[in-house]
Every structure is written in C-alpha cells, then in structure tokens.
Amino acid sequence: MPAIPSATVSRLVTYLRILARLAEAEVTHTSSGALAKEANVSAFQVRKDLTLFGSFGKRGTGYEVTTLLATLRGILGLSRPWRVAIVGMGRLGQAIADYPNFDQYDFKLKAFFDTDRRKVGTVISGIEVEHPDELPRVVVQREIDIGFITVPQHAAQLAADTLVSAGVRGILNFAPTVISVPQEVHLEPVDFLAGLKRLAFYIQKP
Ligand code: NAD
C-alpha cells in the first residue's frame, strides 16, 4: 500500500462515517459529488483520494456503498478487531468505558488500570480495574493493541512508557500534555481544551 499522508487518512475516516450512515439507510450507490458535499471537500479530492487505492467508481452509477465501505474498512485497518486498555479510570476513563459504540468498528475494551487502591478490584462495564503493576502481564496475555491515556497530565508520560514497554503500538492520549513515544508507536492526541481555545479565537469579537 502507498504511504498515505495523515490528511488523507483523516478524509478516509470521514468518508467511512458517511458511507456507514448511507449503508444503514440502505442507500446502494453514491457519487464523488455527494460524498464531497457531506465531507466538505471537492469531488476532485474524493476521486483523487479513492483512486489512490484503485478505481471504485463507475461512470454513470458512481460508487457502490457496501463495496466502498468494505474497501475503506480494509484500508483503514478496521476489518479486524482491536483490543484496547484504558489507563486512568476517573471521570473520563469511566465515561469512555460506558460508551456503547466501540463495537461498531470492533474496538474491544479489554483492560482497565488505575493506581487508586479504592478503584482496583471494582468492576466497570464488566471489566475489573487492575493496578498498573499488572499492565505488562495483562497487555501480553490479553493481546492489547491500543492504550487510552486518561490519567492526570503529570502521570501521562509514565502511563505511555508503561504501555510502550509492554508492547502497545497505538496510543490515544486524552491528557492535555505532549508525550513522547518511539517512532514505531503511533500516538494520537485528543485535546478537547485545545479545540475550545481555537473556538474562542475564531468566535471572539474583533
Ligand atoms: P480524574 O482525576 O477523574 O481521573 C484520573 C484517574 O487517573 C484517577 O482515577 C487516578 O487515580 C488515575 N491515575 C493517576 N495516576 C495514574 C497512573 N499513573 N496510572 C493509572 N491511573 C492513574 O481525571 P479526569 O477528569 O478523568 O481526566 C483524566 C485526563 O483526561 C486528564 O488528563 C484530563 O485533563 C483529561 N481530560 C478530561 C476531560 C473530562 O471531561 N473529564 C476532558 C478532556 C480531557
């Protein structure tokens, strides 16, 4: 597969979301124009993105929704299950654990960790909270691929280091701090407050 720029990956994720909704509504075909409109990009951009992986559209009928959906799932690595651990079972960790839609794309929550002894041993959404001392063993035994970091800012780097040394290859970091990981590990920051700050900048009165 060609190296895909991260902006393209973000657009593919958007197309996937649109296609999943169309499939749910039992729409059988769509066009680059319709996808472009919903994704807020040009039809040329949609065609360019999709031809990177082969030509899927037919002149006249456009794209077959289920075929394109399956192809995008494959390209994005979403046609296999991914096993997830959450480190930090406070307000955010617990809210994520309660979120019902992970299964839609085969993201399976498999382990929860927290240093708070009052939380260790409790069960959240059917999974027992364990102490991070157990993390190296649990990651190997439950074949965890992805770690969510939902610890306070000061503990985020340590949480990342522990996940990486245990063999986790992807990290979604919700703590508002820059953490470093080795090149072979992929890190996605989710900075809700940075989004709010950008919003304040754009809507402030001149
Ligand atoms: P919280 O204080 O409710 O929970 C943090 C949890 O992490 C606690 O249970 C604590 O015991 C645990 N913890 C601390 N150090 C740990 C370690 N080394 N290993 C494992 N567990 C550890 O905090 P929160 O509100 O859930 O926020 C968590 C993180 O997410 C913070 O960095 C916060 O800035 C960020 N965040 C929170 C929200 C939100 O809406 N709550 C939104 C965006 C970002």
Side-chain angles (χ1 to χ4, degrees):
M1 194 191 297
I4 312 174
S6 73
T8 311
V9 175
S10 301
R11 286 193 299 274
L12 295 182
V13 170
T14 305
Y15 306 150
L16 184 85
R17 180 169 42 73
I18 298 166
L19 288 161
R21 200 177 36 68
L22 292 175
E24 219 176 277
E26 297 181 15
V27 175
T28 57
H29 289 80
T30 187
S31 63
S32 51
L35 280 175
K37 200 170 167 204
E38 281 209 51
N40 203 16
V41 295
S42 69
F44 172 75
Q45 183 72 70
V46 172
R47 287 193 294 272
K48 188 170 163 224
D49 288 339
L50 297 180
T51 44
L52 264 180
F53 311 100
S55 177
F56 305 109
K58 283 205 187 89
R59 205 174 282 277
T61 51
Y63 300 101
E64 208 177 84
V65 170
T66 49
T67 309
L68 186 54
L69 185 62
T71 309
L72 280 185
R73 282 181 83 133
I75 291 164
L76 289 166
L78 293 170
S79 47
R80 53 154 284 187
W82 294 102
R83 301 162 75 88
V84 177
I86 304 181
V87 186
M89 294 310 291
R91 284 162 294 196
L92 186 58
Q94 292 191 33
I96 293 173
D98 281 340
Y99 182 65
N101 282 356
F102 283 113
D103 274 5
Q104 196 186 353
Y105 282 112
D106 249 358
F107 291 103
K108 306 279 185 209
L109 297 179
K110 289 289 173 189
F112 299 155
F113 299 98
D114 203 290
T115 43
D116 184 341
R117 293 280 172 196
R118 289 164 302 180
K119 289 180 182 159
V120 173
T122 61
V123 175
I124 299 171
S125 301
I127 297 171
E128 187 177 333
V129 178
E130 293 169 272
H131 192 273
D133 287 351
E134 304 298 324
L135 192 148
R137 175 187 59 78
V138 171
V139 161
V140 173
Q141 279 179 352
R142 292 184 214 159
E143 300 177 55
I144 303 292
D145 310 288
I146 294 172
F148 291 178
I149 295 184
T150 48
V151 298
Q153 195 173 344
H154 65 83
Q157 184 65 55
L158 177 63
D161 293 345
T162 316
L163 285 164
V164 170
S165 349
V168 166
R169 292 187 301 121
I171 292 180
L172 199 57
N173 176 32
F174 291 86
T177 184
V178 176
I179 55 179
S180 37
V181 292
Q183 227 181 354
E184 66 276 14
V185 175
H186 191 84
L187 173 76
E188 283 286 330
V190 182
D191 196 341
F192 152 89
L193 286 173
L196 259 185
K197 287 171 196 156
R198 280 195 296 275
L199 206 57
F201 171 77
Y202 286 114
I203 65 173
Q204 68 185 324
K205 291 224 159 58

